[in-house]
Amino acid sequence: MTLPVVFIDGDQGTTGLQIHQRLQGRTDLTLVTLPAEQRKNAKSRAAAINACDIAILCLPDDAAREAAASIENPAVRVIDASSAHRTDPEWVYGFAQISAQQKHAIATAKRVTNPGCYPTGAIGLLRPLLDAGLVPRDYPISINAISGYSGKGRAGVDEFEGPDAAQATPFQIYGLGLAHKHVPEIQQYSGLSERPVFIPAYGSFRQGIVLTTALQQRLLPAGVTGASLHACLEQHYADSGFVEVLSMDAAKALSGLDPRVMNDTDTLRLMVFENAGHVMLAAVFDNLGKGAAGAAVQNLDLMIGA
C-alpha cells in the first residue's frame, strides 16, 4: 500500500514545528519538508505542494492564500493552519467535535481550515448550548481570554525568550479596537446572530489558554440553570474524544484556573460555574495542542483514515 505523502509548508514556525515533531516518527505516512535554501523559493514550494497527497499550511495568511492558489493538481488536499480561509464557505471547518456531521465532513474534504486557538474554546462552549436553545442566539456574549506568548508565533517566543526578555510586558490586553480577526469565526461557527465582544490577552508564560464567558440567568430562557448548561455540554461531548467536561463539583472545588494545566495535551477542558443567578463558562487548553498542532494532526488522521 502506498503511504500518503504529507507536505508541511512552513515547518519552522511554532505550529509547524509542533506538527513536524508529532509526525516525524509516524510509519503510516511519508513526511516531506523543504530544505532551508528552498523554503522561500516559489517554484520549489509549488512543486512540493502539487506532488503531495495532503499539504499542511503553517504560514501567514497571505502566504497561505498564495500556497492554496498555487495548487494545480486536483488530487491534492489541504489543511490550512492559518486564519486565511476560516470563514470561507468552500473550506470545511476543522473542529470535528462541534456537530455529529463534522467528523465525516473533514474526513472527505479537499480543503480543511484549522480552527483558531481562541475560537476553539469559545465555539466549544457556545455551539452546543446555542444549538440546544439554552442560550439565545442574540445573547450579548462577551469573551475574555488569556494565552501564552507562543500564541504570537515566533515573534512572541523571541520577545519573551530572546535577549530582551527582561523588558517584555508580563501581561497585556490587546485587540483594543474590538475587531480581532477571530470574531467573525467565533460568531459564524458558534451560531451567534450578533457579533460577540472578544477581549484577548497575552501573559508571560509560554503556552496555554484560559477562556471565559459570563451569562446572566435572567437573560436565558426560563428554567435554564448552570446545571442544565453543564448537562448539555456533557451530553454533546460524551463520545466525541479530545473534549473533557469537568463535573460541576470538581469545578466548584477549584480555587483558580491555571491556563497551563492542559499543556502538552490535545484535550479541551470545559467547565461551568454558577452562583446567585450568574453562570461562567470556562475553557482551558493548550494553544499549541488542541488550539493548533493537535487539531491539525487530528484532522489529518481523519483525512487519511488513521
Side-chain angles (χ1 to χ4, degrees):
M1 184 180 71
T2 303
L3 298 179
V5 176
V6 178
F7 168 52
I8 304 176
D9 193 354
D11 62 312
Q12 296 305 301
T14 51
T15 298
L17 278 170
Q18 286 256 338
I19 294 172
H20 187 270
Q21 290 168 4
R22 288 164 179 257
L23 298 181
Q24 62 183 353
R26 297 266 296 254
T27 58
D28 59 339
L29 54 84
T30 299
L31 186 61
V32 175
T33 59
L34 289 176
E37 65 273 12
Q38 294 182 25
R39 286 179 193 139
K40 294 186 179 181
N41 184 299
K43 288 185 178 180
S44 297
R45 292 173 61 212
I49 201 169
N50 279 286
C52 74
D53 294 300
I54 299 179
I56 304 178
L57 308 181
C58 303
L59 303 166
D61 288 4
D62 288 344
R65 293 185 186 97
E66 290 175 10
S70 74
I71 298 173
E72 299 175 348
N73 181 351
V76 174
R77 305 168 75 191
V78 181
I79 299 170
D80 184 8
S82 82
S83 61
H85 299 101
R86 286 186 187 145
T87 57
D88 188 328
E90 295 185 2
W91 288 66
V92 172
Y93 195 58
F95 191 162
Q97 295 80 25
I98 62 171
S99 72
Q101 300 77 33
Q102 204 67 13
K103 184 180 291 187
H104 176 73
I106 295 166
T108 57
K110 284 282 191 180
R111 301 287 184 269
V112 173
T113 176
N114 231 40
C117 55
Y118 292 125
T120 295
I123 295 162
L125 287 166
L126 293 171
R127 174 69 175 264
L129 305 180
L130 269 67
D131 282 354
L134 299 181
V135 176
R137 295 194 182 276
D138 64 351
Y139 192 97
I141 292 289
S142 182
I143 298 161
N144 291 269
I146 180 169
S147 170
Y149 55 76
S150 60
K152 289 185 178 184
R154 291 173 64 182
V157 174
D158 290 345
E159 180 183 350
F160 281 86
E161 298 181 8
D164 298 321
Q167 281 72 53
T169 305
F171 178 85
Q172 185 177 42
I173 292 174
Y174 66 104
L176 303 183
L178 301 180
H180 193 283
K181 67 179 182 179
H182 286 329
V183 171
E185 178 185 352
I186 292 171
Q187 181 178 352
Q188 179 169 322
Y189 292 107
S190 66
L192 288 165
S193 63
E194 303 297 326
R195 185 168 162 267
V197 176
F198 176 51
I199 306 166
Y202 285 123
S204 58
F205 53 97
R206 197 175 203 276
Q207 63 198 80
I209 286 178
V210 166
L211 179 145
T212 62
T213 185
L215 305 172
Q216 297 199 40
Q217 281 182 263
R218 64 185 178 84
L219 300 179
L220 300 177
V224 173
T225 64
S228 57
L229 296 172
H230 179 272
C232 176
L233 292 173
E234 199 169 48
Q235 180 179 7
H236 180 87
Y237 292 113
D239 301 311
S240 64
F242 301 105
V243 182
E244 168 192 299
V245 181
L246 203 64
S247 73
M248 290 191 73
D249 285 342
K252 191 174 182 179
L254 295 173
S255 58
L257 293 178
D258 184 346
R260 304 165 299 176
V261 74
M262 303 306 293
N263 281 1
D264 302 317
T265 79
D266 293 332
T267 300
L268 171 65
R269 175 176 286 174
L270 306 180
M271 291 155 282
V272 178
F273 302 86
E274 179 181 32
N275 187 45
H278 294 161
V279 176
M280 184 176 75
L281 309 175
V284 180
F285 55 106
D286 186 346
N287 60 291
L288 296 180
K290 183 60 175 168
V297 173
Q298 289 167 26
N299 290 327
L300 175 66
D301 286 343
L302 287 171
M303 293 169 78
I304 65 175

